[in-house]
Amino acid sequence: MANQHVTPHPDGGYQVIAEGASRATKRFPTQKEAIAAGREIAKKQQVELIIHNKEGQIRDKDSYGNDPFPPRG
């Protein structure tokens, strides 16, 4: 399974798109809605959710599966 990204959509709004995919899984009017949907997909697939800001830079990451760098405790 591929990591999921929340990115700005070229035509406005935000999209959830799988890593390496050429088309969005789904498009949303707000980043908040896209994050909620992306989080559900990432949890089901046990992958990472990578959230990008409006400039396209990574602003946050959440891991819902095999974290390559788990916290030490």
Side-chain angles (χ1 to χ4, degrees), residues 1-72:
M1 296 285 170
N3 290 334
Q4 299 294 315
H5 291 256
V6 172
T7 63
H9 191 277
D11 296 329
Y14 284 82
Q15 64 186 354
V16 176
I17 187 166
E19 198 166 282
S22 59
R23 294 179 54 183
T25 304
K26 195 156 184 189
R27 187 174 161 197
F28 300 89
T30 67
Q31 187 181 44
K32 184 177 181 177
E33 291 171 297
I35 291 169
R39 186 165 280 132
E40 289 303 313
I41 294 168
K43 284 180 181 179
K44 286 179 186 174
Q45 295 180 355
Q46 296 184 339
V47 296
E48 279 197 44
L49 175 66
I50 297 125
I51 302 166
H52 300 255
N53 64 18
K54 62 184 175 184
E55 286 82 32
Q57 298 170 324
I58 294 173
R59 72 167 197 149
D60 201 10
K61 288 184 180 182
D62 292 322
S63 182
Y64 297 102
N66 298 323
D67 189 348
F69 302 103
R72 294 182 180 196

